[in-house]
Amino acid sequence: MDKVVPNTWGSYLQWRFWDTLATIMDTFSYSMPVTHRLSDIDGLSLADIKRLRETTHLPMDRRGSSSIHRISENAVVKFSHDLSPSPKVCSEVLGYQLVASQTSIPVPQIFHVHSPCCFSMEYVSGQSLEDLWPTYSFFQRVNVVIRIRSYVLQLRKIRSPRSTIPGSLGTSAEGPKGALSPMFCPRKHFGASFASYSALAAWFNDRNQRALSSPDPTSSAHCVHVPIPLDAPFDDSEPLVFCHQDLQPRNFIVGDDGNLWLVDFKKCGFYPPWFEFVAMRMQAKFHGAVDDRIQKARNRWRANIPFMCGWYLEQDWWYQRMRTVLSFEE
């Protein structure tokens, strides 16, 4: 994390200018038509899906992970995560469904839910933004940034019966679900669940107090200078909104159809809007060998995060100041 942010007031005014300009441009925005692939795996059992996962070796244009596999011309299968003891359906499936039904953001269609944490969905042909961003011209980057900004604004308008319950998504019959947000790193804190917004705020306020009283001289509470009071409380001034929580370049696919597709909703949930900003800054990653070209690409990505997510620098400072204590507490 950056220790010092120079000319913060000037940066804020610059962000405000571009944000206002983008708001005006939104009124003239044009959404490209999205054509979805049809399912070609109807009628297959979970056993069939697992067999195809092991035996099918079709190419994938996106740098993927061990949890997702292309099993047919039109479909991929994913084994997701859910920290609920017995989920009805995993949070990621619910996230895809909410985004598809309430926004114009291009996301893959869910074909079938084979088990609570195994589902098949549409294969999107294209290239990862992580690979393309370092090669883009200024105007190409501006186009991408404006589109992502519009996506974040649309995500924040999503509503569900559980919009007031922080954490991962669940059905109306389920109680609070464990959070997979990177805001709860390290991993031993994944699964923390909260029945209310106030309970979430209390959890973070308690960790902040522990950070302030930590005798460890390397604690971020003692070594990171922030222009806010040390005892400032958790910011719960805005209502909970839908957050993706993993908006790093590899989770955007520049489709062959020209659309910018958003994928990987494993960490999504309802959180304060500033969580998206902080998570995006923490996950501003470009994998592979770090050379001058990649470092410049990373810096350009990070510089545009306030424009894409809103200005939440003070909240980020507050979080980074208390974050170290999360690694030491039992």
Side-chain angles (χ1 to χ4, degrees):
M1 251 327 159
D2 299 330
K3 299 295 183 184
V4 179
V5 179
N7 194 19
T8 303
W9 180 244
S11 299
Y12 173 80
L13 292 177
Q14 185 181 44
W15 162 77
R16 176 58 69 185
F17 169 78
W18 287 108
D19 185 69
T20 302
L21 181 61
T23 301
I24 297 171
M25 292 173 62
D26 285 343
T27 61
F28 303 100
S29 63
Y30 169 73
S31 297
M32 297 181 64
V34 178
T35 302
H36 290 283
R37 294 172 180 248
L38 299 177
S39 172
D40 55 359
I41 57 169
D42 293 342
L44 297 183
S45 66
L46 179 59
D48 294 330
I49 295 296
K50 290 181 176 179
R51 176 179 55 79
L52 287 173
R53 177 194 180 196
E54 300 298 328
T55 60
T56 306
H57 303 287
L58 292 170
M60 286 188 65
D61 298 325
R62 173 177 172 264
R63 185 180 293 135
S65 67
S66 59
S67 64
I68 186 167
H69 303 267
R70 190 177 178 188
I71 58 173
S72 72
E73 188 68 24
N74 293 346
V76 298
V77 64
K78 182 168 186 181
F79 291 81
S80 191
H81 299 280
D82 197 294
L83 298 178
S84 176
S86 54
K88 305 294 183 182
V89 62
C90 70
S91 177
E92 183 165 13
V93 168
L94 298 172
Y96 273 113
Q97 292 173 339
L98 279 175
V99 174
S101 63
Q102 297 189 35
T103 77
S104 62
I105 300 171
V107 295
Q109 281 190 323
I110 300 293
F111 287 155
H112 302 284
V113 178
H114 306 283
S115 70
C117 290
C118 173
F119 60 95
S120 54
M121 61 181 173
E122 175 184 9
Y123 168 68
V124 177
S125 179
Q127 290 181 270
S128 168
L129 182 60
E130 180 178 7
D131 297 327
L132 294 176
W133 178 263
T135 71
Y136 275 175
S137 68
F138 171 78
F139 291 104
Q140 286 175 308
R141 293 196 302 271
V142 168
N143 179 51
V144 167
V145 167
I146 289 176
R147 281 210 254 179
I148 294 176
R149 175 185 177 278
S150 73
Y151 290 1
V152 171
L153 293 176
Q154 289 186 66
L155 292 177
R156 289 175 178 170
K157 294 178 181 178
I158 289 176
R159 295 293 179 265
S160 87
R162 295 171 57 93
S163 298
T164 59
I165 301 177
S168 299
L169 306 180
T171 65
S172 56
E174 294 178 292
K177 296 183 73 172
L180 276 169
S181 165
M183 300 292 286
F184 296 92
C185 285
R187 288 183 177 272
K188 63 184 178 182
H189 296 294
F190 284 171
S193 60
F194 309 95
S196 65
Y197 199 172
S198 59
L200 174 71
W203 191 89
F204 276 101
N205 280 327
D206 175 68
R207 271 65 188 175
N208 186 47
Q209 289 303 313
R210 296 188 198 184
L212 294 175
S213 60
S214 171
D216 180 5
T218 65
S219 170
S220 58
H222 299 281
C223 67
V224 177
H225 171 70
V226 293
I228 54 176
L230 288 177
D231 59 349
F234 177 90
D235 181 11
D236 57 358
S237 60
E238 296 181 274
L240 299 176
V241 296
F242 185 99
C243 295
H244 182 279
Q245 288 294 274
D246 201 7
L247 293 178
Q248 56 179 303
R250 67 178 297 176
N251 287 330
F252 293 94
I253 301 176
V254 181
D256 294 341
D257 60 357
N259 279 299
L260 184 64
W261 296 72
L262 179 57
V263 298
D264 198 351
F265 284 80
K266 177 178 67 178
K267 299 175 183 178
C268 74
F270 284 97
Y271 300 103
W274 60 271
F275 271 37
E276 197 81 277
F277 175 91
V278 177
M280 201 170 182
R281 281 173 61 89
M282 288 195 294
Q283 298 176 127
K285 300 174 183 176
F286 288 82
H287 299 82
V290 179
D291 53 23
D292 184 61
R293 172 171 160 270
I294 296 299
Q295 187 61 42
K296 285 182 179 178
R298 179 178 180 271
N299 291 341
R300 286 167 176 163
W301 179 263
R302 282 176 59 88
N304 282 290
I305 290 175
F307 182 76
M308 293 186 276
C309 287
W311 187 269
Y312 294 105
L313 204 57
E314 289 189 357
Q315 291 87 340
D316 185 31
W317 280 328
W318 184 91
Y319 175 80
Q320 297 304 328
R321 188 183 63 198
M322 53 74 64
R323 182 183 179 196
T324 301
V325 76
L326 299 180
S327 300
F328 296 108
E329 66 175 13
E330 297 297 329

